[in-house]
Amino acid sequence: MQSKIAANALAVRRWLAKSEETLGNHSDRLNAINIFPVADGDTGTNLYLTVRAAAAATHDVELPDVGAVLTVAGRAAMENARGNSGTLFSVFLSALAEPLIGATRLSGPLLAAALQRSQIRAWSALSEPMPGTMLSVLEASANAASRVDATQHGDDSNHGLAMVLDAAVVAAVEAVVQTENQLGALREAKVVDAGGVGLLLVLDCLRSVVLGQELEAELLDGLSGYSVQDPHIHANMPEIRGVEVMCTINLSPLDAAGLRMQLDELGDSVIMSAVSPVDVPDGGYRWRLHVHVPESGPALELIHAVGDPSNVSVTQLSAAMDTAVENAAAAKDTAVENAAALLNLSVFSPDAHELR
């Protein structure tokens, strides 16, 4: 098994490509069970488009540094994130890169540290994080990886990496199963969390690429609501009111904290995460912002009051999936165009500036 292990920067690029393909194959079923935070049936599409942007940005990036490749991927994903699930995945990917900067290969200790960094950043990016979501799956996976790594006393061999990867995926499966009992909306609909399943698929793609094995054929067997014959849970639901507002904006940590508080009062599903530092006199960061609000006008007024946003999108929640599909080609093209610029951005660790 060890002779098949590939844990270098090329393997990271192959992981992203395999994740794009796998999420594309599963996007319809993920959409079918998407009911939280809103039942807009677009989680599969949003995850696919976000991962697609990350994979496109790294397609021609030939760097030996695993962390540097993931930094390019994470920032491309953040700039092109779609929806709640895509934004959280981009936070996961960006944070995953930070402990890996300077490393030319993955190891058990590095992967465990990277997963811990990701789960901390993901929980703190949301104003009102909820268990029973992608967050719970990431947390369980990270904790399992750390437990196994601790028993190996810093073993950075291929065998140690395999042990950590297997533990992370097994824990993710168990956490996905538990989501149905952690959220009332999931329990009532008799489904597991769509974002959690998406993250599980991504983690299994990482295991598959690194260990040189096939994807686990029975990984999703028995998950509530995930069989092909299970109905699409949105078929008879009333139209969802409200809009999703997303943008990128340069702000100081203080201004970002103030904007987050105002958006919390105006709507829900608020996510703000730093993309990269920006070169301005007072210091600051480029932030990716996501919020669900009844109407876009008041939210956009608040945003424009503190800065000049870019990549602004306003999507009716009831039509989120259709809009995301229409933007697929644009997301990929933008990611490719930005890849070179992303390579020149400095790496940073904004943990102190993540806002709760």
Side-chain angles (χ1 to χ4, degrees), residues 258-280:
L259 178 59
R260 178 190 281 275
M261 290 178 62
Q262 292 176 305
L263 292 175
D264 282 338
E265 294 176 357
L266 196 62
D268 54 33
S269 294
V270 178
I271 305 175
M272 287 186 68
S273 187
V275 181
S276 61
V278 292
D279 186 15
V280 295

Side-chain angles (χ1 to χ4, degrees), residues 115-180:
L115 288 172
Q116 283 293 347
R117 180 71 63 89
S118 291
Q119 69 112 345
I120 292 169
R121 287 276 304 281
W123 278 100
S124 63
L126 273 160
S127 289
E128 297 182 0
M130 295 289 291
T133 63
M134 184 190 296
L135 297 174
S136 298
V137 178
L138 178 54
E139 180 181 39
S141 180
N143 289 342
S146 292
R147 285 194 299 271
V148 169
D149 178 58
T151 67
Q152 300 187 89
H153 308 291
D155 180 8
D156 63 356
S157 68
N158 286 343
H159 174 73
L161 176 59
M163 295 287 288
V164 169
L165 275 168
D166 285 339
V169 173
V170 169
V173 173
E174 295 172 354
V176 166
V177 172
Q178 289 301 315
T179 60
E180 183 180 2

Side-chain angles (χ1 to χ4, degrees), residues 91 183 201 215 241 338 351:
V91 173
L183 278 175
L201 289 168
L215 291 171
R241 298 187 180 277
N338 288 343
D351 289 349

Side-chain angles (χ1 to χ4, degrees), residues 190-277:
K190 295 182 174 58
V191 296
V192 293
D193 181 66
V197 177
L199 180 62
L200 169 59
L201 289 168
V202 168
L203 291 173
D204 193 42
C205 285
L206 179 61
R207 183 201 60 79
S208 171
V209 167
V210 171
L211 303 187
Q213 300 174 2
E214 295 296 324
L215 291 171
E216 179 58 55
E218 300 177 354
L219 187 71
L220 308 180
D221 286 0
L223 293 183
S224 296
Y226 208 78
S227 298
V228 175
Q229 64 269 24
D230 288 329
H232 195 295
I233 62 175
H234 312 93
N236 298 314
M237 286 189 174
E239 181 180 353
I240 302 168
R241 298 187 180 277
V243 297
E244 175 187 77
V245 176
M246 298 188 67
C247 70
T248 307
I249 188 169
N250 295 345
L251 296 173
S252 69
L254 181 60
D255 286 341
L259 178 59
R260 178 190 281 275
M261 290 178 62
Q262 292 176 305
L263 292 175
D264 282 338
E265 294 176 357
L266 196 62
D268 54 33
S269 294
V270 178
I271 305 175
M272 287 186 68
S273 187
V275 181
S276 61

Side-chain angles (χ1 to χ4, degrees), residues 12-13 15-21 23-24 44-61 69-83 86-87 89-90 93-94 288 311 324 327-340 342:
V12 169
R13 291 164 52 199
W15 167 46
L16 293 170
K18 193 177 191 72
S19 296
E20 175 190 349
E21 178 184 8
L23 288 172
T45 303
N46 287 338
L47 279 172
Y48 166 70
L49 293 176
T50 303
V51 174
R52 183 179 181 179
T58 59
H59 184 270
D60 297 319
V61 175
V69 173
L70 279 170
T71 297
V72 174
R75 292 180 184 174
M78 193 80 77
E79 293 282 3
N80 296 281
R82 297 290 187 252
T87 304
F89 175 80
S90 68
L93 202 58
S94 296
R288 188 62 175 170
N311 292 347
N327 289 335
K332 183 175 183 179
D333 291 344
T334 301
V336 173
E337 292 170 3
N338 288 343
L342 289 168

